[in-house]
Amino acid sequence: MLVLFNRGDVHMPISELPGLVCRDISYGQENIPIPATNLVDNPPVPPSGFVYSKSLQIPEYIKIPADSIGCNCKGDCSSSTHCLCAVHNGSDLPYVSRQKKLSAKHVDSTHKNIGRLVEPKAVVFECGANCSCHCSCVNRTSQQGLQYHLEVFKTELKGWAVRTWDTILPGALICEYTGVLRRNAEVEGLLDNNYIFDIDCLQTIKGLDGRKQRSGSELHMASLQDEHDSEASQAPEYCIDAGSIGNIARFINHSCQPNLFIQCILSSHRDIKLAKIMLVAADTIPPLQELSYDYGYGMDSVIGPDGNVVKLACHCGASDCRKRLY
């Protein structure tokens, strides 16, 4: 199949990309192929050392809560006046809908609702397994898979990186951060694994560690307080380990001036400690721009086995770069 990409307003088949080392790092798992290019190494090599997985892998020893009560809407919840999921989001759905044509990768060419987040929220409540709305409901936007043409490419100083070939509007959901769900106690002290993502949504909701509280924090704390009342629940209990299994999110680099932000999402259950982690566009992102988000490390926050502070230089290139990742 010939797939044409709009790369900086120039249409070209993937096979003609300069430095192409892999036609699709997802090997057909994603809606849209993700090519990888390498113009840095000689000889050029593709990304390696991991297995691609578009879905979060959950070990048997971690029990996911039972599905929560869903809405009884028909079709798309945006046309319902009494949507239970909208109530959880503060009486309004968190997404504004737009029509986007599916890629040729899909079995049909119908249109479906792909939403954009109206604003960053403490947590977004999506429709889930017990909801009666259609699978293409706008309030299932994070469940629709990859919707943008992205490329993994090798850089001189930052290893692999990700850039877009499409114009991405603010609030657009880019991808979930996937990997293996683990308890934080399992990965403590693993300084050689740079792909650990703490599920620390509760800290954002409570505005801990100097974080700015997001829209709906008080509402969401009231909704979730029965499960998370203790002081112990403030510390992240779970993380996502994308060291050996993950998706395109593991290649997105840190920036001190990022164009993406992190959004916690709940759909099938209401345990914020096990929320889905999504990367969302903070601004309009033009074609060929690298995607990035703030990794959120505090300065001098990483301690080595010898008890000394570990320092890592930042090469994001932002005008206000802190010069150190941690």
Side-chain angles (χ1 to χ4, degrees), residues 121-323:
K121 301 177 75 69
V123 58
V124 165
F125 293 89
E126 284 194 343
C127 296
N130 286 336
C131 293
S132 61
C133 58
H134 194 268
C135 61
S136 64
C137 171
V138 70
N139 200 39
R140 298 177 185 264
T141 291
S142 77
Q143 304 164 41
Q144 304 300 341
L146 188 66
Q147 300 294 322
Y148 297 96
H149 295 92
L150 305 177
E151 173 195 350
V152 173
F153 68 102
K154 192 66 177 290
T155 70
E156 292 280 357
L157 298 175
K158 298 182 294 183
W160 294 99
V162 178
R163 58 187 164 209
T164 175
W165 288 7
D166 299 326
T167 297
I168 301 177
L169 298 179
L173 274 60
I174 308 302
C175 62
E176 179 181 0
Y177 195 100
T178 73
V180 180
L181 183 65
R182 301 194 189 281
R183 295 185 185 278
N184 271 359
E186 297 178 61
V187 299
E188 288 180 356
L190 296 181
L191 293 178
D192 58 339
N193 189 340
N194 296 317
Y195 300 96
I196 302 295
F197 196 115
D198 284 341
I199 304 178
D200 55 2
C201 305
L202 194 62
Q203 286 86 323
T204 300
I205 293 178
K206 291 188 174 183
L208 301 181
D209 300 327
R211 303 178 188 207
K212 180 182 178 181
Q213 286 196 351
R214 288 184 176 179
S215 171
S217 291
E218 294 182 2
L219 169 71
H220 294 144
M221 278 310 300
S223 174
L224 301 165
Q225 63 183 356
D226 291 340
E227 300 174 41
H228 307 286
D229 247 354
S230 68
E231 288 296 317
S233 70
Q234 294 183 7
E237 183 176 346
Y238 298 96
C239 64
I240 300 169
D241 177 6
S244 58
I245 298 175
N247 67 344
I248 190 171
R250 72 191 299 279
F251 296 108
I252 299 179
N253 284 318
H254 162 85
S255 176
C256 298
Q257 191 175 343
N259 50 24
L260 306 179
F261 65 88
I262 302 300
Q263 179 62 61
C264 296
I265 294 178
L266 293 174
S267 54
S268 61
H269 61 79
R270 293 293 180 258
D271 189 344
I272 192 65
K273 294 185 296 182
L274 291 167
K276 177 190 294 186
I277 301 298
M278 292 295 299
L279 294 169
V280 184
D283 307 294
T284 298
I285 307 173
L288 300 186
Q289 186 171 114
E290 181 181 349
L291 303 182
S292 61
Y293 66 98
D294 190 335
Y295 284 6
Y297 286 104
M299 285 298 178
D300 301 329
S301 63
V302 179
I303 307 299
D306 57 1
N308 294 323
V309 172
V310 178
K311 299 180 180 180
L312 182 65
C314 178
H315 301 288
C316 72
S319 58
D320 58 350
C321 177
R322 298 187 292 268
K323 307 305 179 185

Side-chain angles (χ1 to χ4, degrees), residues 44-72:
V45 294
S48 61
F50 82 107
V51 175
Y52 198 98
S53 176
K54 66 177 293 186
S55 303
L56 183 66
Q57 304 298 299
I58 303 174
E60 291 184 359
Y61 63 84
I62 297 181
K63 302 304 180 184
I64 301 300
D67 292 338
S68 58
I69 298 174
C71 67
N72 57 5

